[in-house]
């Protein structure tokens, strides 16, 4: 009713103004102004987008997942199209970032519209959602600190958001990752990345989330593969960091471990070694878990893949990228019973980055599929 | 009339409030154009014990000479180039960088000096194929998974009897044209031209997509941008730009 009254009021003003000046020297100009005003008010009706019938993922390889980047995707039809294409490719899992900083206001209010849209469309496509939660709102961190800065004074606030998130999306978001690559100082607010600090965070967030939604699987990590030695300003070797996490008592505060593993210029089956970063570094991560008596806990590879940028020194040719990716899935299925899923970085970006990042994707911003998409689709039996 | 005068005055005042652009005077006073590049991308820029060389290096030197200053090269990693320019460590970036409209808020781009997009390559002297639309009933070789493959797949939806045949590498796709296994190849301009440099039995007949390389300055450096565009046009008119491109990528 308010909407109708406003329209009537505007129409009344327009008509009375028109009659008031109809015989003045400004009549022509004013008429033009009115026409422009009326045209500017005439907006096309918004697209009607429905979730459609419930879909299920058809796949011969349930391990296949992708990391989507819908955080900055504004248009709902693009969110829906992305998730449809993920399902059509035969991927059962999506990993997606849900930034705390984007949603949670200082007064406690949470803007759920965008995450609702993403989660509900993913659920309609039959996809299992792994939600990565992180990035601190400015009200929860000191001035002039970056989004990745989260210290103990804000752990309770973060836990509250994570718990509300877990409760709201019960049954739709099955896994939650606490933070991202905490072993890198960049991801830890440009502070020394210490496992002890991260474990303290887990100790606050884990019980809150499980109380809100006992079904959700809480993932720690995801650790970034790096060889940085102790004392480096950039971060800490992921294997050392993981050992320090266990030493700090992390084992009781996560249900699964999220891991990132990039193949760089190595083939998928290249032998792992402590001083080498390649895809099978996951086996070394696993060794640490077993050494600390945590063999029952599974690994979730929430980012992996190869890049085929023509000039990046860490890239391979596009054909190698396809081969390595399929080999990686096959190798993991045959050899790693403890790996539940592997999400390729990254499905699609909302806009081109004009850098090597564009050459990780499976689909262009315009939804044109790359051959790697078609190969994975064939691999999953679609 | 008074209102118009007032408005003009206001506009002039607003324009006067903008910070002065002394970018060209700064370069001129230094006598040096600081050029940022990532020297790991032959044949555009590569650094070794002998120094830095490549198409972009020659172009930077030619531009600097036209501007009456010397070119000084500063190396950065590919990901650090824009940050280096933003933090005023260099005056320009000249490093095989594609025009990125998304960065238009902070940076300005000169006119393009090279199109690195996909090109259609056929046997030299073949007059039957002049563009993609002529490929009905033909076989098109591409590098598996590359952007040429993506583009060819899109064309295959429009041309009913076009066969797209992927090869493991770009060179293999071009060799397929050479041996008659394929009628044409769709490949990026750099790989294509480098191959043609050694194999003149093939020719480029169409630039199918556009991936324009340009020189980049900070958005406020309008004077420097204008000078660079003028110099670039000078080099284009004199044929020097073509000579530089021909030297590194073939004619």
């Amino acid at each position: 009713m308010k909407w109708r009254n406003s329209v009537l009021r505007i129409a009344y003003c327009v008509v009375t103004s028109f009659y008031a000046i109809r015989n003045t020297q400004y009549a022509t100009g004013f008429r033009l102004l009115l026409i422009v005003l009326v045209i500017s008010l005439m907006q096309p009706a918004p697209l009607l987008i429905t979730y459609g019938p419930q879909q299920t993922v058809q796949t011969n390889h349930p391990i296949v997942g992708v990391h989507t980047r819908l955080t900055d995707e504004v248009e709902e039809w693009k969110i829906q199209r992305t998730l449809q294409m993920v399902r059509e490719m035969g991927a059962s899992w999506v990993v997606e970032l849900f930034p705390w900083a984007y949603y949670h206001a200082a007064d406690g209010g949470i803007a759920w519209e965008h995450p609702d849209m993403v989660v509900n469309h993913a659920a309609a496509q039959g996809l299992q959602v792994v939600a990565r939660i992180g990035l601190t709102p400015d009200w929860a961190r000191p001035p002039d600190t970056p989004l990745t800065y989260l210290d103990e004074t804000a752990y309770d606030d973060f836990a509250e958001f994570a718990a509300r998130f877990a409760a709201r999306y019960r049954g739709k978001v099955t896994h939650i990752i606490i933070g991202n690559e905490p072993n890198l100082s960049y991801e830890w607010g440009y502070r020394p990345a210490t496992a002890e600090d991260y474990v303290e965070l887990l100790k606050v967030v884990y019980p809150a989330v499980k109380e809100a939604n006992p079904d959700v699987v809480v993932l720690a990590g995801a650790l970034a593969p790096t060889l940085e030695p102790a004392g480096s300003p950039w971060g800490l070797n992921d294997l050392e960091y993981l050992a320090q996490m266990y030493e700090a008592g992390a084992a009781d505060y996560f249900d699964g471990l999220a891991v990132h593993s990039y193949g760089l210029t190595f083939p998928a089956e290249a032998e792992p070694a402590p001083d080498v970063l390649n895809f099978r570094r996951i086996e070394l991560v696993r060794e640490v878990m077993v050494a600390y008596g945590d063999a029952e806990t599974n690994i979730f590879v929430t980012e992996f893949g190869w890049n085929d940028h023509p000039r990046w020194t860490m890239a391979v040719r596009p054909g190698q990228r396809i081969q390595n990716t399929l080999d990686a899935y096959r190798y993991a299925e045959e050899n790693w019973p403890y790996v539940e899923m592997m999400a390729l970085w990254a499905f699609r970006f909302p806009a081109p980055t004009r850098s090597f990042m564009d050459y990780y994707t499976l689909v262009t911003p315009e939804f044109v599929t790359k051959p790697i998409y078609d190969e994975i689709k064939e691999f999953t039996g679609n | 009339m008074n209102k118009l005068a007032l408005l003009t005055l206001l506009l002039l005042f607003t324009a006067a409030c903008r910070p002065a652009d002394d970018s060209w005077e700064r370069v001129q006073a230094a006598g040096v154009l600081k050029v940022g590049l990532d020297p790991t991308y032959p044949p555009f820029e590569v650094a070794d014990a002998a120094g830095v060389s490549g198409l972009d290096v020659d172009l930077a030197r030619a531009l600097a000479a036209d501007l009456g200053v010397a070119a000084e090269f500063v190396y950065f990693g590919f990901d650090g180039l824009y940050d280096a320019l933003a933090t005023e460590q260099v005056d320009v970036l000249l490093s095989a960088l594609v025009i990125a409209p998304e960065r238009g808020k902070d940076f300005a781009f000169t006119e393009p000096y090279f199109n690195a997009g996909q090109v259609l390559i056929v046997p030299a002297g073949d007059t039957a194929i002049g563009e993609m639309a002529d490929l009905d009933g033909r076989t098109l070789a591409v590098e598996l998974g590359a952007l040429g493959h993506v583009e060819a797949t899109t064309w295959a939806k429009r041309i009913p009897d076009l066969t797209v045949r992927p090869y493991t590498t770009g060179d293999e796709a071009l060799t397929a044209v050479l041996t008659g296994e394929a009628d044409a190849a769709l490949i990026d301009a750099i790989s294509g031209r480098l191959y043609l440099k050694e194999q003149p039995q093939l020719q480029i007949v169409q630039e199918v997509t556009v991936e324009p390389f340009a020189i980049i300055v900070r958005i406020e450096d309008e004077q420097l941008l204008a000078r660079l565009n003028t110099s670039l046009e000078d080099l284009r008119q004199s044929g020097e730009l073509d000579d530089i491109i021909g030297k590194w990528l073939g004619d």
Side-chain angles (χ1 to χ4, degrees), chain B residues 168-206:
Chain B
T168 308
T169 66
D171 279 5
E172 284 177 33
L174 289 162
T175 304
V177 182
L178 210 55
T179 59
E181 202 175 301
D183 298 301
L186 188 62
I187 205 101
D188 70 272
I190 299 169
S191 306
R193 291 185 69 143
L194 285 172
Y195 190 90
L196 264 59
K197 205 175 165 190
E198 307 300 323
Q199 299 287 353
Q201 303 97 311
L202 300 180
Q203 62 177 349
I204 295 172
V205 289
Q206 187 189 10

Side-chain angles (χ1 to χ4, degrees), chain A residues 143-162:
Chain A
D144 301 324
T145 51
L147 278 168
T148 52
Y149 186 99
L150 174 60
D151 68 23
E152 63 281 0
T153 61
Y155 285 179
D156 286 331
D157 293 318
F158 181 53
E160 184 211 331
F161 172 76

Side-chain angles (χ1 to χ4, degrees), chain A residues 223-300:
Chain A
L223 300 183
T226 174
L227 302 177
E228 291 299 321
S232 161
W234 306 112
L236 180 61
N237 182 308
D238 47 335
L239 306 177
E240 281 183 47
Y241 188 93
L242 181 58
Q244 290 180 13
M245 277 176 60
Y246 281 113
E247 295 286 348
D252 293 336
Y253 298 97
F254 64 95
D255 305 316
L257 184 69
V259 172
H260 294 172
S261 185
Y262 287 93
L264 304 179
T265 55
F266 298 95
E269 296 189 10
E271 288 286 329
D275 58 348
V276 175
L277 299 181
N278 62 19
F279 173 66
R280 282 177 58 195
R281 189 168 179 82
I282 290 165
E283 292 173 17
L284 306 183
V285 171
R286 178 68 180 170
E287 283 175 13
V288 175
M289 296 173 75
V290 172
Y292 280 91
D294 203 14
E296 296 303 311
T297 298
N298 281 343
I299 287 176
F300 297 75

Side-chain angles (χ1 to χ4, degrees), chain B residues 66-87:
Chain B
D66 194 71
L67 292 167
V69 294
E72 181 182 304
F73 299 99
V74 189
Y75 305 160
F76 299 95
F78 181 59
D79 294 342
L81 285 170
Y82 277 99
D83 287 343
L85 182 60
T87 53

Side-chain angles (χ1 to χ4, degrees), chain A residues 213-379:
Chain A
N213 177 0
D215 301 332
V216 78
V217 178
V218 176
L219 307 181
L223 300 183
T226 174
L227 302 177
E228 291 299 321
S232 161
W234 306 112
L236 180 61
N237 182 308
D238 47 335
L239 306 177
E240 281 183 47
Y241 188 93
L242 181 58
Q244 290 180 13
M245 277 176 60
Y246 281 113
E247 295 286 348
D252 293 336
Y253 298 97
F254 64 95
D255 305 316
L257 184 69
V259 172
H260 294 172
S261 185
Y262 287 93
L264 304 179
T265 55
F266 298 95
E269 296 189 10
E271 288 286 329
D275 58 348
V276 175
L277 299 181
N278 62 19
F279 173 66
R280 282 177 58 195
R281 189 168 179 82
I282 290 165
E283 292 173 17
L284 306 183
V285 171
R286 178 68 180 170
E287 283 175 13
V288 175
M289 296 173 75
V290 172
Y292 280 91
D294 203 14
E296 296 303 311
T297 298
N298 281 343
I299 287 176
F300 297 75
V301 183
T302 50
E303 282 182 27
F304 89 103
W306 280 262
N307 186 287
D308 58 14
H309 190 276
R311 68 182 294 184
W312 190 35
T313 50
M314 292 289 108
V316 295
R317 296 307 307 161
Q320 289 175 294
R321 180 181 168 216
I322 294 171
Q323 187 64 51
N324 292 347
T325 303
L326 298 182
D327 286 348
Y329 277 127
R330 288 191 199 100
Y331 186 89
E333 284 179 325
E334 287 167 16
N335 298 286
W336 298 343
Y338 48 83
V339 170
E340 283 199 38
M341 75 99 185
M342 299 203 314
L344 265 175
W345 175 266
F347 190 72
R348 168 188 170 268
F349 295 133
T353 67
R354 316 264 177 203
S355 79
F356 73 100
M357 291 299 271
D358 291 333
Y359 291 77
Y360 272 119
T361 60
L362 310 183
V363 171
T364 69
E366 298 79 23
F367 293 101
V368 176
T369 60
K370 295 183 181 179
I372 188 170
Y373 174 94
D374 300 313
E375 294 285 343
I376 295 171
K377 190 173 178 179
E378 193 178 324
F379 174 70

Side-chain angles (χ1 to χ4, degrees), chain A residues 311 317-319 352 354 356 371, chain B residues 41 79 95-96 102 143-145 149:
Chain A
R311 68 182 294 184
R317 296 307 307 161
R354 316 264 177 203
F356 73 100
Chain B
Y41 192 48
D79 294 342
S95 193
E102 300 80 7
E143 180 184 358
L144 172 67
H149 191 178

